[in-house]
Amino acid sequence: LPHDLNTDELKPILKKILTQGLLEAGSNLHTRKRKLMDISNELNDVFFRYPFSVPSFFALVTRGLGLLEGIALSGDPEFDIFKASLPYASRRAVEILGTDQLSRLRL
């Protein structure tokens, strides 16, 4: 998004999509697949309404994550990729944004 874009309207939309889609899906594979499809459709709508710039490799990364999650779920039906990746994602967000900016960006 451009730095000068007012994101006040966008934040609650993304919060709703990500909270309902990611946090409420749990580890059930069928529920997760359905929720991820819903998230994908809603995010596509958001990407068309707002001037997002998404890297071309984004689809490959998300496909790879889906494949790895499927492998993990076949070995452990209770595996939750979001819980497993939270420590890394948190550290990375702090590295990129810093703790001050990250706390201001929380939805």
Side-chain angles (χ1 to χ4, degrees), residues 47-78:
F47 288 161
F48 285 114
R49 286 192 295 155
Y50 295 92
F52 276 91
S53 175
V54 180
S56 58
F57 60 84
F58 183 75
L60 295 174
V61 171
T62 56
R63 184 180 295 166
L65 286 172
L67 177 66
L68 291 173
E69 180 185 28
I71 293 169
L73 284 168
S74 68
D76 177 6
E78 299 299 315

Side-chain angles (χ1 to χ4, degrees), residues 77-92:
E78 299 299 315
F79 178 77
D80 186 334
I81 196 165
F82 301 108
K83 287 181 184 175
S85 61
L86 182 62
Y88 172 78
S90 298
R91 284 192 310 272
R92 189 73 177 123

Side-chain angles (χ1 to χ4, degrees), residues 7 18 34 41 56 68 70 80 90 107:
T7 58
L18 297 176
R34 189 175 64 249
N41 291 335
S56 58
L68 291 173
D80 186 334
S90 298
L107 300 174

Side-chain angles (χ1 to χ4, degrees):
L1 292 172
H3 293 291
D4 60 345
L5 181 73
N6 182 347
T7 58
D8 291 342
E9 179 185 327
L10 182 59
K11 286 180 182 181
I13 295 169
L14 290 176
K15 182 177 183 178
K16 176 185 171 265
I17 291 170
L18 297 176
T19 300
Q20 290 179 351
L22 299 180
L23 299 179
E24 296 174 6
S27 293
N28 180 288
L29 181 59
H30 298 292
T31 304
R32 169 98 25 100
K33 282 183 179 179
R34 189 175 64 249
K35 288 287 189 180
L36 286 177
M37 182 58 77
D38 292 344
I39 291 171
S40 177
N41 291 335
E42 291 181 53
L43 286 177
N44 281 337
D45 183 49
V46 169
F47 288 161
F48 285 114
R49 286 192 295 155
Y50 295 92
F52 276 91
S53 175
V54 180
S56 58
F57 60 84
F58 183 75
L60 295 174
V61 171
T62 56
R63 184 180 295 166
L65 286 172
L67 177 66
L68 291 173
E69 180 185 28
I71 293 169
L73 284 168
S74 68
D76 177 6
E78 299 299 315
F79 178 77
D80 186 334
I81 196 165
F82 301 108
K83 287 181 184 175
S85 61
L86 182 62
Y88 172 78
S90 298
R91 284 192 310 272
R92 189 73 177 123
V94 169
E95 286 174 13
I96 293 171
L97 301 172
T99 54
D100 291 338
Q101 186 175 1
L102 187 61
S103 65
R104 284 193 304 267
L105 290 176
R106 290 207 172 126
L107 300 174

